[in-house]
């Protein structure tokens, strides 16, 4: 069990790490780009080889806290003069005996948001490369691709009370605290909550309260302005001899943990409050996965706005292979084949043909009925790290557009977002383009094929004239009926404004 972190020791460790220049940039320089990238794939040797015989503070801490390799006690105490090896042991991060052996990793993690850039030190359990085998079931995961994605999705707008469900190492609570005054972090794992408290103290972040329990049990009767969750959504067979990792398995069948969150979150959102989470959903017995998510939203006792984006989908075999590997079981072994078969049997029992992964944004209306119901597939690569700001802008524009009829949209002036570009494709020798495409450099990186009329309208949106005046001028140039062109273009202007191609002037 990780001990409850001592605030003074955490301050000393932070001072030592800062003095050693223990940053993501410094480590990447020390390791080299290729070796640094290899660490995420479980390969430590290239980074260790890059350090060579170095015994300076950065090199010692890199081996001990990033690569999870034992170090000489004298070197560690020299690298951490305030904390010492004994201080690390008191925090539960190492054991001291025949040298200093790591029990956890502490890795720097850079971040950037609307308020600026910075860095946290994030402690978590040793990965399979350091352990030399499969993970224990109570493993507390560090910062991975999914957690970074959810952190970037968090709305940057100010809020009073926040809730992080399934806090793990605490990365979402730290990110939420950037814009939320007080954050409650919950988890079913006492070890995870200890890491959350440690990481908050290590980074000097206050007003994060931890509570033990599943889903909404620890906050019964409470409402929050912002809820975020990277829940244990990984679909795991409910059979013996299949590891049930706490960090990814919610103990329910199929995608029931995500369904339970969606159905229950409304009762814990204050009016106007927003919940954001990652999740999986199954396509079952011919029922599309997004349609099943739509049904979960409809089953909420509190009516909710919903914006759900599927980022990727996997067939059952690919899904099974992904999560068997994630637990540290090597492909090609009898154990890998046995576990993969257990996943396939589980999917077959529910007639699952596909598993989707994506993002859910749910909002409790301040008053009245929900006005946003959007379920879409966006499987292209993301192009930026400002998704939270993009989502906040989209919600604000939706709320501004909602009370406007077509006449109101026509009376509004718009400007083209600065990240939007236009591409025209021509057949050689022909003057007119065969395809006109608008591309978004930020947000979800959308690309839209548009006709000449819409392309002309977007190109003319500089904030000076209302959209209706521009459409009438384009109709005259094209020899088209102005009323029909308005009826065609104004709904598409709404869509372009919501998705971020256009902004209100």
């Amino acid at each position: 069990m990780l001990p409850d972190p001592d605030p003074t020791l955490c301050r000393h460790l932070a001072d030592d790490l800062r003095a050693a220049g223990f940053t993501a940039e410094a480590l990447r320089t020390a390791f080299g780009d290729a070796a640094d990238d290899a660490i995420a794939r479980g390969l430590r040797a290239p980074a260790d080889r890059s350090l060579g015989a170095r015994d300076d503070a950065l090199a010692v801490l890199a081996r001990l806290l990033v690569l999870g390799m034992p170090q000489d006690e004298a070197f560690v105490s020299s690298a951490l003069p305030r904390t010492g090896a004994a201080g690390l042991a008191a925090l539960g991060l190492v054991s001291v005996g025949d040298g200093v052996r790591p029990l956890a990793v502490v890795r720097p993690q850079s971040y950037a948001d609307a308020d600026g850039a910075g860095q946290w030190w994030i402690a978590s359990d040793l990965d399979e490369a350091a352990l030399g085998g499969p993970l224990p079931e109570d493993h507390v995961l560090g910062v991975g691709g999914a957690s970074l994605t959810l952190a970037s999705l968090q709305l940057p707008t100010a809020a009073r009370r926040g809730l992080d469900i399934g806090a793990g190492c605490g990365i979402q609570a730290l990110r939420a605290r950037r814009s939320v005054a007080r954050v409650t972090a919950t988890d079913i794992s006492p070890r995870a909550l200890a890491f959350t408290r440690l990481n908050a103290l290590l980074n000097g972040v206050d007003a994060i309260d931890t509570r033990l329990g599943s889903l909404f049990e620890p906050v019964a009767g409470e409402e929050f302005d912002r809820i975020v969750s990277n829940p244990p959504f990984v679909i795991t067979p409910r059979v013996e001899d299949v590891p049930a990792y706490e960090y990814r398995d919610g103990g329910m069948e199929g995608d029931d943990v995500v369904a339970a969150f969606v159905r229950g979150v409304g009762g814990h959102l204050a009016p106007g409050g927003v919940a954001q989470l990652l999740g999986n959903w199954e396509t079952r017995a011919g029922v599309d996965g997004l349609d099943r998510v739509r049904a979960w939203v409809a089953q909420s006792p509190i009516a909710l706005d919903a914006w759900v984006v599927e980022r990727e989908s996997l067939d059952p075999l690919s899904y099974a292979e992904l999560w068997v590997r994630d637990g540290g079981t090597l492909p090609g072994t009898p154990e890998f084949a046995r576990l993969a078969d257990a996943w396939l049997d589980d999917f077959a029992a529910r007639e699952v043909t596909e598993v989707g992964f994506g993002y859910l944004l749910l909002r409790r209306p301040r008053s009245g009925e929900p006005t946003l119901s959007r379920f879409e597939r966006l499987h292209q690569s993301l192009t930026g790290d400002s998704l939270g700001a993009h989502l906040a802008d989209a919600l604000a524009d939706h709320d501004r557009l909602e009370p406007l009829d077509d006449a109101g949209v026509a009376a509004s002036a718009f400007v083209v977002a600065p990240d939007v570009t236009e591409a025209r494709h021509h057949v050689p020798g022909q003057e007119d383009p065969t395809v006109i495409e608008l591309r978004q450099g930020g947000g979800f990186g959308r690309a839209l094929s548009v006709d000449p009329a819409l392309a002309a309208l977007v190109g003319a949106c500089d904030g000076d004239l209302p959209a209706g005046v521009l459409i009438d001028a384009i109709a005259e140039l094209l020899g088209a009926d102005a009323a029909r062109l308005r009826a065609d273009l104004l709904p598409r202007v709404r869509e372009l404004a919501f998705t971020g191609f256009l902004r209100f002037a």
Side-chain angles (χ1 to χ4, degrees), residues 211-285:
R211 301 186 197 175
L212 183 67
S214 177
L215 286 176
F216 305 107
E217 292 173 0
V219 293
E222 298 181 61
E223 292 184 348
F224 299 86
D225 308 297
R226 194 72 46 78
I227 299 177
V228 63
S229 181
N230 184 6
F233 60 77
V234 175
I235 297 164
T236 305
R238 305 260 68 87
V239 296
E240 292 184 6
D241 298 326
V242 173
Y245 297 111
E246 289 181 346
Y247 74 89
R248 72 183 202 191
D249 175 22
M252 300 183 187
E253 182 177 81
D255 50 21
D256 285 354
V257 69
V258 180
F261 186 103
V262 173
R263 293 180 185 124
V265 71
H268 296 278
L269 284 172
V274 172
Q276 296 176 270
L277 70 150
L278 305 181
N280 276 161
W281 39 83
E282 298 176 336
T283 291
R284 274 189 204 172

Side-chain angles (χ1 to χ4, degrees), residues 150-166:
L150 182 58
S152 75
L153 285 166
Q154 287 196 42
L155 301 183
T157 47
R160 187 173 61 90
R161 293 194 66 198
L163 172 64
D164 175 13
I165 295 180

Side-chain angles (χ1 to χ4, degrees), residues 18-39:
R18 193 175 296 110
F22 192 67
T23 67
E25 296 76 13
L27 288 169
R28 190 168 181 88
T29 299
F31 294 147
D33 292 348
D36 191 49
D37 292 339
I39 294 171

Side-chain angles (χ1 to χ4, degrees), residues 19-20 38 91 127 134 200-201 203 241 251 277 284 286 324 355 387 392 430 437 453 487 494:
L91 290 171
D127 56 26
L201 289 169
N203 293 285
D241 298 326
L277 70 150
R284 274 189 204 172
V324 175
V355 181
L387 279 171
Q430 291 189 5
E437 191 175 55
R494 288 180 182 272

Side-chain angles (χ1 to χ4, degrees), residues 19-20 22 55-62 75 78-80:
F22 192 67
D55 61 1
D56 57 285
L58 181 65
V60 171
L61 296 176
F75 286 171
S78 176
L80 301 171

